[in-house]
Amino acid sequence: TALLVAVTAVVAIVAYTWVDNDWSAEQAGREVDRAASELASNTTDAVEDAGDRADRFLRETSAEIRRDAAQGMGEAGERVSPESES
């Protein structure tokens, strides 16, 4: 949705500038290409950042689950004693 709004805004700005400044189709096309390249670059950066955050989250969550499981096993082992020690 945000991408659609951004593209619509770029097209509207270019159309206004084209008419207002008597741009040629070539000039307007260059501006659209520039804006599209910038948008693609920003989108790529955002996707990479999201991937990095997801990877970090999964690693931290996995480590926490392992720590909790180890702690639980240790506590269970302390509570259960062999019958021969009773």
Side-chain angles (χ1 to χ4, degrees):
T1 304
L3 180 61
L4 180 60
V5 171
V7 169
T8 303
V10 167
V11 170
I13 290 168
V14 169
Y16 171 78
T17 305
W18 182 1
V19 171
D20 194 46
N21 293 319
D22 295 325
W23 277 7
S24 68
E26 182 183 348
Q27 289 169 315
R30 274 197 309 265
E31 186 59 27
V32 168
D33 286 345
R34 184 198 61 77
S37 293
E38 185 177 322
L39 182 61
S41 175
N42 290 342
T43 302
T44 299
D45 292 344
V47 168
E48 287 176 357
D49 288 346
D52 290 344
R53 286 193 305 270
D55 181 56
R56 188 171 47 251
F57 172 77
L58 290 174
R59 287 175 191 253
E60 290 173 0
T61 302
S62 176
E64 187 173 331
I65 289 170
R66 286 186 179 117
R67 279 192 303 271
D68 287 350
Q71 181 180 357
M73 294 296 289
E75 290 173 0
E78 291 172 3
R79 292 182 184 162
V80 177
S81 61
E83 290 183 24
S84 60
E85 292 183 16
S86 299

